[in-house]
Amino acid sequence: MKKILCVAGALLLLASCNQQIEKTGYVNNTKVVSDFKEMKTAQEKWTKRNNEVRAELEGKAKQFQIEVQGYQTIMKSMTASNREKKEKELMTKQQELQREQQQKMQEIQQGSQKEIDSIINKVKDFIESYGEKNGYTYIYGDTETSNILYGKKELDLTDKILKELNGAEADSTKTKE
């Protein structure tokens, strides 16, 4: 009986030694994405584009306002039919300005969102590749809602991934030039 227990114990010990230890880590998703150089570049680009469009639209709005003020100063000297014609013209211009503003702001929003989504996918792909390359079984994502309530600091891969990701970004930029 002792031999059977010893053999069973030895087999149990041997089986536990053969089990692979799963390598895990976690990443602060928000920090990785926001500190990724490509994301910062995209945000600067779209902020600049937004400011340019706003300035252009403000210029057109000022021109329209000048035209309205000009009309208001001479409207009393105009015939009723000419006033009505000019008011329709001004109303049409105002509607066109509003449509143009909505269209351009929507274009900026859609373009910005498309680029941000592309960058987020690039980060996800990079983390997946990093995990495979470095033998991780799991890399968890931590966000503002704190999916990870506790994790050992040595399992936090955020800075390592950011360094490699930004390095990879710099390398791919160099090869494009």
Side-chain angles (χ1 to χ4, degrees), residues 107-118:
E107 286 173 5
I108 288 172
Q109 185 180 16
Q110 288 173 345
S112 167
Q113 192 60 51
K114 183 178 179 182
E115 189 166 356
I116 288 169
D117 289 346
S118 171

Side-chain angles (χ1 to χ4, degrees), residues 14-96:
L14 187 60
S16 68
C17 288
N18 282 339
Q19 288 182 348
Q20 288 183 327
I21 297 174
E22 293 186 351
K23 189 173 177 183
T24 62
Y26 64 94
V27 174
N28 181 322
N29 298 339
T30 305
K31 182 176 181 188
V32 169
V33 170
S34 65
D35 289 355
F36 182 28
K37 289 177 187 173
E38 192 173 323
M39 179 62 84
K40 289 180 179 184
T41 302
Q43 288 172 332
E44 289 169 5
K45 175 180 103 176
W46 288 104
T47 299
K48 181 181 175 190
R49 177 72 179 126
N50 187 38
N51 292 340
E52 289 168 352
V53 168
R54 285 188 186 278
E56 176 188 333
L57 292 171
E58 283 176 19
K60 289 181 178 183
K62 284 180 184 176
Q63 283 297 114
F64 176 72
Q65 199 60 36
I66 290 169
E67 191 174 344
V68 168
Q69 289 171 347
Y71 163 70
Q72 289 172 341
T73 58
I74 63 166
M75 69 183 234
K76 292 179 181 173
S77 64
M78 297 173 78
T79 65
S81 65
N82 284 343
R83 268 197 314 262
E84 186 179 326
K85 183 179 175 183
K86 185 65 176 174
E87 287 171 2
K88 282 183 181 179
E89 179 185 316
L90 289 172
M91 195 177 301
T92 301
K93 279 187 177 185
Q94 182 180 23
Q95 289 170 347
E96 287 172 3

Side-chain angles (χ1 to χ4, degrees), residues 24-29 31-32 130 136 139-140 142 148 151-161:
T24 62
Y26 64 94
V27 174
N28 181 322
N29 298 339
K31 182 176 181 188
V32 169
Y130 179 92
Y136 282 89
I139 295 180
Y140 299 100
D142 191 18
I148 297 175
K152 291 182 180 179
K153 291 294 179 203
E154 58 268 17
L155 297 178
D156 185 353
L157 305 172
T158 305
D159 292 333
K160 289 178 186 176
I161 286 180

Side-chain angles (χ1 to χ4, degrees), residues 57 91-107:
L57 292 171
M91 195 177 301
T92 301
K93 279 187 177 185
Q94 182 180 23
Q95 289 170 347
E96 287 172 3
L97 278 173
Q98 288 171 339
R99 269 194 298 275
E100 182 180 5
Q101 180 182 16
Q102 288 172 343
Q103 178 189 0
K104 289 190 177 198
M105 290 298 123
Q106 188 176 22
E107 286 173 5

